[in-house]
Structure formats: structure tokens, C-alpha cells
Amino acid sequence: MPRLADPDPKNIPDDVREFLAVLPPDPLVRMLTHSAGTVKPFIRLAKAQFSSLELPARSREIVILTVAEYAGCEFVAAQHRPMSEAAGVDERTRRLIRGRELDSPELSTSDRALIRFTAEVVRRPTVSDELFDQARRFLTEREIVEVLQVAGYYWSFSRVCTVLEVEITKVYGAGEPVLTGGSDTARLGPAGVPGEHGDDAGAH
């Protein structure tokens, strides 16, 4: 059972209520609504993770799954399994992330560098020069910053879920709207998101 009850609708400002009206009645959305002053920008930032990055969708999903594993958040992991599959992350890669097999020879060199870098970001305040240099072999400067931003967003997302014990009531498919609402909110699924730098095969 969640540690916090749903917010009292009387305490939700009208503009926030209207903003959230198009979202599904998901327990995480309701939990975020306790912070009425930040729920809108938090959800808008979710859109940016799917519509405004140069980081390919497949890489983004690898980062999110790695954060979910090392933050111990089954909610995020469960929601992003179908999304990651749609983005091109195969079951073998998902299995290796779940098993924390960061050095597995089954991983490509680029995936190994990305997963190790992300895991270290979650576990420690800094990363070694070796890990950073490995990541730079495959990521542009912009993409490195985007990896850090995605990792930070989903670490926060994960802690809302784990600390407040948010329950999974539905796992959304890759094209189903979770955080959606017209022009300024987001879908947590690549199929419903505006094209990501060309909608190349690696991104969708």
C-alpha cells in the first residue's frame, strides 16, 4: 500500500487539474500531484526525454533500464521493458542489465560502455577517467549530458516510487499514453512520440 494517500482534489489548483485531466488515473501521476507546483514541469520534462534528445531512443532506454536496476525500482523497469523492446533493446541485453553483468562479452562494446557509465552514475558521485573515456568513444558531448539528465530524471522518478511505495497497476505498451496531454506533455512510449531526430531505425 502506498505510504501517502491520494491528494485531496480540493487542494489541487484548477490549472493543474486541467493539465492532468488528459492523463490516465495512474497511481504515480496521483502521487506526483501532491507537489502541485512541480507536477507540470516534471511531466513536461518527461516529454523532453522522448522528443528533444539527440541520444537515440535505444540508448535512452538502456540508460533507463540501468537506472531502474541500480535504483531498485521495479515500477520503472516494468514500464520500460515493452518500451525498450520497441526501441530495439533485445531480451538478451535486458537480461544482462537485470543480472548486472556489465562486463559480459555478449554486450556490444558501445552498450557495455553506456551501461557501465550509467551504473556508475547511479552508484557514485563521480566516474573514473577510464569509464568516462570509454563513454566518450561512443557519445557526443551533448549525448553525455543527455545521459546524465535522463539518469537523474529516472533516479528521481524511481525514488518517488520506491520511497512512497507506489504500486504498479498497469504496464503500458510502447504506444500507449502514460504522461500525455496534447502539445506540452509526454508519452512514455516511442510509438506515440513526435519523431526523434529522423526516426531512424536505431531510435524506433
Side-chain angles (χ1 to χ4, degrees):
M1 178 177 293
R3 285 177 158 173
L4 297 180
D6 289 349
D8 188 334
K10 297 193 301 292
N11 296 329
I12 301 174
D14 290 343
D15 65 312
V16 174
R17 189 179 298 110
E18 292 173 6
F19 180 84
L20 298 176
V22 295
L23 302 182
D26 190 84
L28 179 60
V29 173
R30 296 196 298 270
M31 196 65 71
L32 292 172
T33 306
H34 276 290
S35 179
T38 63
V39 63
K40 289 168 65 175
F42 191 83
I43 289 174
R44 285 177 175 139
L45 184 55
K47 176 185 178 181
Q49 313 296 326
F50 286 86
S51 63
S52 302
L53 302 183
E54 282 191 357
L55 187 72
R58 183 180 181 279
S59 298
R60 180 198 65 222
E61 290 300 317
I62 285 175
V63 170
I64 294 170
L65 291 176
T66 304
V67 171
E69 172 60 33
Y70 284 88
C73 185
E74 178 56 24
F75 189 106
V76 170
Q79 296 294 352
H80 280 269
R81 285 180 194 125
M83 298 176 206
S84 65
E85 182 177 6
V89 182
D90 60 21
E91 173 54 31
R92 179 181 61 183
T93 302
R94 294 195 297 273
R95 173 178 55 80
L96 293 171
I97 292 172
R98 290 195 304 270
R100 303 192 179 191
E101 299 179 57
L102 308 187
D103 297 315
S104 171
E106 295 183 80
L107 291 169
S108 68
T109 306
S110 57
D111 283 354
R112 189 181 310 123
L114 180 60
I115 294 166
R116 291 185 66 202
F117 180 77
T118 303
E120 195 74 351
V121 167
V122 176
R123 293 185 297 187
R124 305 181 190 282
T126 188
V127 300
S128 68
D129 289 341
E130 176 189 5
L131 277 181
F132 189 77
D133 290 343
Q134 288 175 3
R136 288 202 68 172
R137 289 180 57 197
F138 304 102
L139 299 169
T140 66
E141 292 180 351
R142 172 171 172 168
E143 288 172 338
I144 287 173
V145 174
E146 289 175 348
V147 166
L148 294 171
Q149 291 175 331
V150 171
Y153 182 86
Y154 280 93
W155 183 91
S156 175
F157 200 105
S158 294
R159 284 295 166 262
V160 171
C161 295
T162 59
V163 173
L164 300 181
E165 298 180 358
V166 179
E167 298 173 331
I168 303 172
T169 58
K170 178 179 179 180
V171 174
Y172 294 85
E176 293 185 85
V178 180
L179 300 183
T180 187
S183 62
D184 60 354
T185 47
R187 290 177 187 267
L188 291 186
V193 178
E196 205 164 355
H197 54 86
D199 288 338
D200 58 66
H204 290 281

